[in-house]
Amino acid sequence: MVIATQIISVVLNLFSRLQKTKAKTLLIFTCSTLFSILTYIFLNQMAGAFLLIAATIRTVIFYLYDYFKLKPNLAVLLTFETTYIILVGLTWQSSVDTLILLSVMMLTFAFWQDNMYVLRIGMVLDPIILTIYNVLIGAYINIIGDMACLIAVIISIIYYDVYKRSTPIIKRLLYYVKPKRKRKRLKARLRKRK
């Protein structure tokens, strides 16, 4: 069961890092964290599980802020950050728990921003920290997934922020998978957008 939850979490995490908009990123990331919570429960990492429950609530709240086109104020950010510190203090098992705390706090700051470039930079640092954490707790599939997520977010930064592409990466990939006739129609639509 641990392997299945890790695989689903990794796949969803990959898709969340390839999204163009913050809303889609947050929505898919929420689904990913739900499966990560199950993984950490199965691996008996209660600090990680409780932190990810709080992080799921954070992601849903930031999604609602983005949906209603509001900017969360500094008090919201500080509330989440202090909540994480309290949760780790209550569920402390070892010094390894500080790595997941650092990861969640850093991603909270990235999600708090409206700038997708800052969010993607936060998503570059996140898998690096989580790789170390997953090595120490024995979540080996998540290690491979974190490296794949790191590559995916670097591709996203190059695609969206360096090359300034407007077509989502997923649509661009589907362009090469669809049959020839559908590909022609999609190519015509992509040309109209540019």
Side-chain angles (χ1 to χ4, degrees), residues 10-191:
V10 164
V11 169
L12 290 171
N13 218 344
L14 273 171
F15 278 117
S16 74
R17 282 155 166 51
L18 292 174
Q19 299 305 313
K20 180 181 178 189
T21 63
K22 183 177 178 181
K24 287 181 182 177
T25 301
L26 293 175
L27 193 62
I28 298 171
F29 192 79
T30 301
C31 298
S32 172
T33 55
L34 292 174
F35 286 100
S36 293
I37 291 167
L38 292 175
T39 300
Y40 291 144
I41 288 173
F42 292 142
L43 292 173
N44 199 23
Q45 294 296 317
M46 289 304 123
F50 282 114
L51 274 175
L52 286 183
I53 290 169
T56 304
I57 295 167
R58 166 214 62 199
T59 311
V60 169
I61 289 173
F62 285 158
Y63 173 79
L64 292 173
Y65 271 108
D66 187 64
Y67 181 79
F68 291 113
K69 307 290 186 236
L70 300 170
K71 169 77 173 132
N73 57 18
L74 187 61
V76 173
L77 177 68
L78 294 176
T79 302
F80 281 121
E81 302 288 12
T82 53
T83 303
Y84 301 146
I85 293 170
I86 292 169
L87 280 174
V88 167
L90 293 174
T91 58
W92 182 269
Q93 290 176 327
S94 69
S95 59
V96 174
D97 296 338
T98 56
L99 290 171
I100 190 93
L101 174 66
L102 178 64
S103 170
V104 170
M105 289 179 79
M106 186 210 35
L107 261 185
T108 300
F109 178 75
F111 286 156
W112 179 67
Q113 304 291 321
D114 283 334
N115 188 345
M116 279 301 289
Y117 179 70
V118 174
L119 193 142
R120 288 187 187 106
I121 293 298
M123 289 182 140
V124 165
L125 299 173
D126 178 55
I128 295 169
I129 297 168
L130 284 179
T131 300
I132 298 166
Y133 178 73
N134 288 324
V135 164
L136 295 173
I137 67 165
Y140 299 111
I141 293 174
N142 279 352
I143 297 166
I144 297 166
D146 289 335
M147 290 297 103
C149 288
L150 179 62
I151 293 167
V153 77
I154 290 170
I155 290 169
S156 292
I157 289 172
I158 293 169
Y159 184 81
Y160 293 121
D161 300 316
V162 175
Y163 289 143
K164 306 285 187 205
R165 300 285 175 110
S166 59
T167 307
I169 291 176
I170 305 297
K171 277 190 181 178
R172 186 71 67 174
L173 290 174
L174 289 177
Y175 169 79
Y176 296 105
V177 175
K178 290 188 174 188
K180 191 173 184 178
R181 189 179 66 206
K182 288 183 178 180
R183 195 179 314 150
K184 286 181 182 178
R185 280 186 272 162
L186 183 60
K187 190 175 185 179
R189 274 190 275 153
L190 290 175
R191 263 193 239 125

